[in-house]
Amino acid sequence: MPDLRLDQLLSQFGYCSRREAAAWTKNGRVCRGGQALLRPDQRVAPEEVLIDGAPVEFPHRLLVLLHKPLGFACSHDPAESPLIYDLLPTRWARRHPAPFSIGRLDRDTSGLLLITDDGPLCHRLTSPRHEVEKTYHVTVATPFPPGLADCFSSGTLLLRGEAKPCLPARLDITSAHTARLFLREGKYHQVRRMFASQGCPVTALHRQAVGALTLDDLPPGAWREVSPDQLG
Ligand code: URA
């Protein structure tokens, strides 16, 4: 990250507006090497400064894993509240660029969701060529129809309104009403539509993993930092 003017740094990382930066520096809230930085036009490396005694959050790229609870929308539109962004620090919404989710989960789907401010990383993770595997835990109300796993793995299942069939997907049936589905793409409502197309509606859906990343003990609504190398 190149050096930035302090007022630009404070506004870019969501601490305050450029206009407010003069008061922040004057009040000694920004330091480097134990010295207060008093001029808002001074250029600094974001990773070298402390703001109110703490390092700049995610000075290079923001990438976190959120355990999305049921009932939250993957949207920036307040009309759709509650939003997944309500679960993240409010300062992040003022960052430029603001963080966004890599793909979406339905309001009534829970589980692992990645949040970033890195457009190229998002593109890499969602492009059909590089698409990483996503693991869903699926609950259904009716018994699984015979041949469902073969149907999903065939690469010929064409969902209504789609031009191309679903890519081959693995289905592991784990009990009379539960299964794990492994997908390498992300069409709109894909899991629910795949099961519904075979007369077997989904009653609960939870994403357990994206690539090598899992939720581990992270409780619903909580988030933790991850490194892109952990995506496997
Ligand atoms: N497929 C769905 O149907 N819903 C989700 O939230 C994710 C995948």
Side-chain angles (χ1 to χ4, degrees):
M1 164 76 63
D3 289 2
L4 295 176
R5 280 175 57 119
L6 256 186
D7 52 2
Q8 187 187 356
L9 181 153
L10 287 167
S11 91
Q12 183 169 321
F13 292 99
Y15 290 88
C16 64
S17 68
R18 282 185 85 148
R19 228 148 50 101
E20 290 161 341
W24 279 55
T25 51
K26 193 168 145 210
N27 294 336
R29 298 177 72 174
V30 189
C31 296
R32 181 177 55 188
Q35 296 271 302
L37 300 174
L38 299 173
R39 283 187 14 233
D41 62 351
Q42 177 166 356
R43 296 188 89 84
V44 287
E47 58 276 18
E48 288 178 1
V49 301
L50 296 181
I51 303 174
D52 289 337
V56 173
E57 292 172 302
F58 301 100
H60 300 290
R61 80 146 64 88
L62 185 149
L63 179 62
V64 299
L65 178 164
L66 171 71
H67 186 163
K68 179 194 172 300
L70 293 173
F72 285 74
C74 291
S75 163
H76 280 100
D77 181 356
E80 296 189 46
S81 291
L83 310 178
I84 54 162
Y85 301 102
D86 301 338
L87 301 165
L88 304 173
T90 49
R91 177 183 300 139
W92 294 6
R94 299 192 299 268
R95 287 173 65 111
H96 309 289
F100 52 89
S101 64
I102 299 182
R104 289 172 180 222
L105 293 176
D106 303 334
R107 190 188 287 281
D108 51 356
T109 301
S110 57
L112 196 162
L113 188 65
L114 291 169
I115 312 278
T116 191
D117 59 1
D118 185 336
L121 176 74
C122 176
H123 180 72
R124 183 167 71 75
L125 292 178
T126 53
S127 94
R129 278 200 308 142
H130 300 108
E131 189 84 3
V132 291
E133 185 172 76
K134 285 161 287 201
T135 309
Y136 293 91
H137 183 267
V138 183
T139 307
V140 296
T142 53
F144 294 107
L148 191 64
D150 290 342
C151 166
F152 287 174
S153 67
S154 68
T156 60
L157 175 61
L158 186 64
L159 299 175
R160 189 174 299 154
E162 298 289 342
K164 288 189 189 163
C166 298
L167 293 174
R170 195 174 104 222
L171 179 73
D172 288 349
I173 294 178
T174 47
S175 78
H177 292 282
T178 61
R180 256 195 308 272
L181 182 67
F182 301 86
L183 282 188
R184 289 191 174 272
E185 59 184 338
K187 297 182 198 295
Y188 180 66
H189 293 328
Q190 181 162 349
V191 176
R192 291 175 205 277
R193 288 166 69 208
M194 286 173 72
F195 281 83
S197 75
Q198 304 306 305
C200 187
V202 169
T203 53
L205 186 56
H206 175 80
R207 186 152 72 188
Q208 295 180 312
V210 173
L213 286 175
T214 53
L215 289 166
D216 303 320
D217 296 335
L218 194 68
W223 58 269
R224 69 174 146 85
E225 182 176 358
V226 288
S227 134
D229 310 339
Q230 292 175 268
L231 290 162

